[in-house]
Amino acid sequence: MASMKDVAQEAGVSIGTVSGVLNGKKTIKPQNYRRVMDAVQKLDYRPNMLARSLRTNITGSIGLIIPDITNPYYPELARGVEDMARKAGVTLFLCNSDRDVDKEWGYAQALAQKQVDGIIIAKPHISLEQLNMLRRKCRIVLVDGTAEQLGEFDLVNVDNRSGAASAIDLLLSYGHRKIAFVGGIIESQSMQDRLDAYRSVLEKSGIPYRPEWVKECNYSWHSGRAAALELLKAPGPHPTAFFVGNDIMALGVVRGIHDCGLRVPEDVSVCGFDDIAMAELAFPALTTVRQPKYEIGCQSAQLLLERICGVQQGDIVHRVLETAVVLRKTVSWAPQS
Amino acid sequence: MASMKDVAQEAGVSIGTVSGVLNGKKTIKPQNYRRVMDAVQKLDYRPNMLARSLRTNITGSIGLIIPDITNPYYPELARGVEDMARKAGVTLFLCNSDRDVDKEWGYAQALAQKQVDGIIIAKPHISLEQLNMLRRKCRIVLVDGTAEQLGEFDLVNVDNRSGAASAIDLLLSYGHRKIAFVGGIIESQSMQDRLDAYRSVLEKSGIPYRPEWVKECNYSWHSGRAAALELLKAPGPHPTAFFVGNDIMALGVVRGIHDCGLRVPEDVSVCGFDDIAMAELAFPALTTVRQPKYEIGCQSAQLLLERICGVQQGDIVHRVLETAVVLRKTVSWAPQS
DNA sequence: CTGAAAGCGCTTACAG
DNA sequence: CTGAAAGCGCTTACAG
């Protein structure tokens, strides 16, 4: 592959001059400029970014680590990051950790070793200590995270409490009193917040909190379906509504309800969280709490980019975005009983 | 960040020695080995891959360009690539082109400039000429592609003709004679092959080919739904079965059929292609032609890796994988008419 | 077994 | 306006 030396030779100038024209330094004699450009063209020369980065200490690339590429939530977020990165002319390296701490840490280190300028981690599973080691090598922005991480890192997030509260309010307004919560693993602050809101809105309405109606699942469709089955087949009264921590699980819950011979929403209502594309396409279309996934991606990229170029300095910053309830077909009036 | 020089100083040896122990050269005095390792530990030193790569001319990274991260087909393929890459200790950079030639070319160049050792491109949109320029900088493996690309590049693919033929056979065996084809844009060889098979199986069964029952869509759910609406609302007899080029569109077709007041599969049957996870979760569960997506990813990565390390030499190689019809709930007997 | 030195392909002061 | 030279952090023959 052609190197700068080849170009210099072809153009009959020094490699310093070639570097000059390629980096847009003003002071180049027009004649030399042309010669260099011609040589570049002729040799199809592209600068070796490795060498450039080694010298300048900036690579113009950032990493994004997501926990689950299979959940449509993350690809949408990724597109936000990607679009901002593109606009800034930096390339994005996308890594999928499968919710596995070791993979996540492995990717984080690989990225750091490749000298990316910064890393966005969605729902970090690695420890605070690891995060801090990482921070010494490049900028970090978190999307979601545990309570202890919140205090120390730049982060963009959604207002989970108010999002969940709106969902519960909606269910209450349709006359539901027996509302179950199917959550993801309660390790991230956001899931905790949704649970807290669920509980406090219920209690504020004079409805006692029933721990047996709170299920901790693993974010998968199957775990959602299993939770619904379990709750609906238990002896005693069953919930007439489910508030579910993400849409994938909510879709599983809907199926579980059907599999029990009950109808959605006539017999049981379901409200999800996220508003992935599938929510709209499903039948019945899923009522849910929309997260501005794309926006979250944009904002986190922007924040990271600002840190990298030094526009954003000093204290940690948290950007909190709003959610919105999306009314579709899976929530209706509580059945008379 | 600590450099090799720092480690050498800390350990009281030369940087050549540090490099030696880090790269596992046998001939290191145990005492120095320990000293170096201790220094590495103490400084949390990680080699700068930029520098290493610049010197060795191999980066231990590969790229994967997919056309649509939003179609679950590709994330699954990506996981296959990823897992093989991990096993080989190479890191994968995933890029999403949005079916946009310019983005695709941009990513390809960015990747090449980062000196990745190779690139896998799924459904390339860039020209043969661009592909050839790229090839001068790194190894290329294609997944799917146009007819002209097939002749010149390593490629892994599925046997689309036999896959599509099985689908049509299935539909015929259920008594269908009026079968529509809803395809993606007929630019890739695979879509062309599916269409060819559709046509030839039909004709072999004495059923005339009706071009007005072939729709060219853009791979999206909405385009599938629109095609169904159009076909079902046209004057004259309508198809009793749809063979659809991918599952996302097939799900759209199912919705379109419902929206016309018809039932699936009682009134109209639908068979998709791909077998994405959603196909199983949808209601009614989608009958489709399974592609071994994960396997395709694995195979393409393996081929690329073999090229890179020189195990695979010489002529272009094509690996063709098999499909399988997955019977679920959207295909049934053709209605009496 | 180890160290000094050259070189990977760039950028960047610094003379001229 | 341009060229020669140093240096980014590594690896790799090559002396010793």
Side-chain angles (χ1 to χ4, degrees):
Chain A
M1 239 172 64
S3 79
M4 195 171 262
K5 190 156 62 169
D6 302 323
V7 176
Q9 196 167 355
E10 177 74 28
V13 299
S14 77
I15 83 169
T17 302
V18 175
S19 177
V21 349
L22 260 28
N23 292 300
K25 292 207 319 197
K26 296 261 147 46
T27 54
I28 301 283
K29 205 200 292 178
Q31 180 195 9
N32 282 335
Y33 182 89
R34 277 234 58 77
R35 280 188 184 171
V36 169
M37 290 313 258
D38 289 347
V40 164
Q41 180 99 42
K42 175 166 173 198
L43 303 176
D44 186 33
Y45 167 75
R46 315 273 164 183
N48 180 328
M49 288 317 200
L50 252 38
R52 173 181 293 179
S53 299
L54 182 58
R55 193 51 233 275
T56 61
N57 210 24
I58 91 162
T59 55
S61 55
I62 61 175
L64 168 64
I65 304 180
I66 58 177
D68 185 3
I69 197 176
T70 261
N71 181 338
Y73 176 85
Y74 291 105
E76 273 206 59
L77 186 153
R79 294 184 55 158
V81 174
E82 201 184 9
D83 286 352
M84 292 311 294
R86 275 179 67 75
K87 245 177 242 171
V90 336
T91 68
L92 172 69
F93 296 136
L94 182 56
C95 306
N96 167 225
S97 73
D98 265 330
R99 304 189 193 278
D100 177 318
V101 197
D102 294 333
K103 279 196 195 177
E104 185 182 314
W105 181 232
Y107 274 121
Q109 304 223 80
L111 252 11
Q113 279 189 287
K114 301 253 180 208
Q115 322 297 124
V116 295
D117 301 328
I119 304 179
I120 298 171
I121 311 182
K123 276 216 194 227
H125 291 68
I126 58 179
S127 70
L128 198 57
E129 187 192 345
Q130 288 172 312
L131 238 18
N132 275 320
M133 293 181 64
L134 219 53
R135 167 142 68 177
R136 255 174 265 131
K137 322 217 169 183
C138 64
R139 306 294 192 165
I140 305 287
V141 167
L142 268 28
V143 173
D144 201 354
T146 65
E148 59 170 13
Q149 291 162 354
L150 294 188
E152 307 208 20
F153 286 86
D154 285 344
L155 172 142
V156 358
N157 214 168
V158 115
D159 186 343
N160 287 286
R161 303 188 74 93
S162 88
S166 315
I168 302 298
D169 282 340
L170 173 73
L171 263 10
L172 290 171
S173 76
Y174 273 96
H176 293 278
R177 311 266 112 192
K178 296 184 282 184
I179 304 174
F181 177 71
V182 176
I185 301 153
I186 316 288
E187 71 199 342
S188 68
Q189 188 57 39
S190 63
M191 218 31 104
Q192 184 63 57
D193 284 348
R194 292 174 207 173
L195 177 56
D196 288 350
Y198 159 83
R199 178 170 189 162
S200 76
V201 173
L202 246 41
E203 291 182 338
K204 226 172 285 174
S205 309
I207 300 173
Y209 173 73
R210 302 178 60 156
E212 71 274 23
W213 280 0
V214 171
K215 291 290 172 194
E216 194 166 333
C217 298
N218 73 357
Y219 297 95
S220 74
W221 185 89
H222 286 99
S223 72
R225 176 171 172 275
L229 255 29
E230 204 179 325
L231 284 166
L232 259 16
K233 294 203 159 150
H238 68 245
T240 62
F242 287 76
F243 172 50
V244 190
N246 79 13
D247 283 350
I248 294 282
M249 291 191 291
L251 261 11
V253 166
V254 169
R255 171 62 70 88
I257 294 168
H258 282 147
D259 292 348
C260 289
L262 297 167
R263 294 162 304 165
V264 176
E266 294 84 348
D267 301 314
V268 184
S269 289
V270 177
C271 180
F273 209 101
D274 287 353
D275 193 30
I276 58 178
M278 234 186 288
E280 188 180 356
L281 308 184
F283 188 86
L286 186 68
T287 294
T288 190
V289 178
R290 168 174 299 158
Q291 289 202 56
K293 300 160 284 296
Y294 181 84
E295 257 298 308
I296 295 173
C298 291
Q299 293 280 342
S300 55
Q302 204 154 39
L303 184 49
L304 183 64
L305 263 9
E306 288 169 4
R307 284 292 187 198
I308 289 169
C309 75
V311 170
Q312 184 71 246
Q313 304 217 6
D315 260 15
I316 61 169
V317 356
H318 286 189
R319 306 237 247 247
V320 179
L321 306 181
E322 288 308 313
T323 60
V325 171
V326 184
L327 298 172
R328 286 198 274 251
K329 304 292 186 190
T330 54
V331 170
S332 186
W333 296 97
Q336 322 285 39
S337 62
Chain B
M1 242 173 65
S3 79
M4 196 171 263
K5 189 157 63 170
D6 302 322
V7 176
Q9 195 168 355
E10 177 72 28
V13 299
S14 77
I15 82 168
T17 302
V18 175
S19 177
V21 348
L22 260 29
N23 292 301
K25 292 206 322 197
K26 296 262 147 42
T27 54
I28 301 283
K29 204 201 290 181
Q31 180 194 9
N32 282 336
Y33 183 88
R34 278 233 59 76
R35 281 189 183 171
V36 169
M37 290 314 258
D38 289 349
V40 164
Q41 180 100 42
K42 176 168 174 200
L43 302 177
D44 185 33
Y45 168 75
R46 315 275 165 183
N48 180 328
M49 288 317 198
L50 252 38
R52 173 180 292 179
S53 300
L54 182 59
R55 194 52 233 272
T56 61
N57 210 24
I58 90 162
T59 55
S61 56
I62 62 176
L64 167 64
I65 304 180
I66 57 177
D68 185 4
I69 199 177
T70 259
N71 181 339
Y73 177 85
Y74 291 105
E76 273 207 58
L77 187 154
R79 294 185 54 158
V81 174
E82 199 184 11
D83 286 352
M84 292 311 293
R86 276 179 67 75
K87 245 178 242 172
V90 335
T91 67
L92 172 68
F93 297 135
L94 181 56
C95 307
N96 168 225
S97 74
D98 264 330
R99 304 188 192 277
D100 176 320
V101 197
D102 294 333
K103 279 196 196 177
E104 183 182 315
W105 181 233
Y107 275 123
Q109 304 223 81
L111 252 11
Q113 279 188 289
K114 301 253 179 210
Q115 321 299 125
V116 295
D117 301 329
I119 304 179
I120 299 171
I121 311 182
K123 276 218 193 228
H125 290 68
I126 58 179
S127 70
L128 198 56
E129 187 193 345
Q130 288 172 311
L131 238 18
N132 275 319
M133 293 181 64
L134 218 53
R135 166 141 71 176
R136 256 174 264 133
K137 322 217 168 183
C138 64
R139 306 295 191 165
I140 304 287
V141 167
L142 267 30
V143 172
D144 200 354
T146 66
E148 59 170 14
Q149 291 163 354
L150 294 188
E152 308 207 19
F153 286 85
D154 285 344
L155 172 141
V156 356
N157 213 167
V158 113
D159 186 342
N160 287 286
R161 303 188 73 93
S162 87
S166 316
I168 302 298
D169 282 340
L170 173 73
L171 263 9
L172 289 171
S173 75
Y174 274 96
H176 292 279
R177 310 267 112 190
K178 295 183 282 184
I179 304 175
F181 176 71
V182 176
I185 301 153
I186 317 288
E187 71 199 342
S188 67
Q189 188 56 39
S190 63
M191 219 31 103
Q192 184 64 56
D193 284 348
R194 291 174 207 173
L195 176 57
D196 289 349
Y198 159 84
R199 179 170 187 161
S200 76
V201 173
L202 245 41
E203 290 181 338
K204 227 172 282 171
S205 310
I207 300 173
Y209 174 72
R210 301 177 61 156
E212 71 275 21
W213 280 0
V214 171
K215 291 290 172 193
E216 194 166 334
C217 298
N218 73 357
Y219 297 96
S220 73
W221 186 90
H222 286 100
S223 72
R225 176 171 173 275
L229 255 30
E230 204 178 327
L231 285 165
L232 260 15
K233 294 203 160 151
H238 68 245
T240 63
F242 286 76
F243 172 50
V244 190
N246 78 13
D247 283 351
I248 293 281
M249 290 190 291
L251 261 11
V253 166
V254 168
R255 170 62 69 89
I257 295 167
H258 282 148
D259 292 346
C260 289
L262 297 166
R263 294 161 304 165
V264 176
E266 294 83 350
D267 300 314
V268 184
S269 289
V270 177
C271 180
F273 210 101
D274 287 352
D275 193 31
I276 59 178
M278 234 186 288
E280 189 180 357
L281 308 185
F283 187 86
L286 186 69
T287 293
T288 189
V289 178
R290 169 175 298 158
Q291 289 203 56
K293 300 158 283 296
Y294 180 84
E295 256 298 309
I296 294 173
C298 292
Q299 293 279 343
S300 54
Q302 204 153 38
L303 184 49
L304 183 64
L305 263 9
E306 288 169 5
R307 284 292 187 197
I308 289 170
C309 74
V311 171
Q312 184 72 246
Q313 304 217 2
D315 260 14
I316 61 169
V317 356
H318 286 190
R319 306 236 247 248
V320 178
L321 307 182
E322 288 308 314
T323 60
V325 171
V326 183
L327 298 173
R328 286 197 275 250
K329 305 293 185 190
T330 54
V331 170
S332 187
W333 297 98
Q336 323 286 38
S337 62

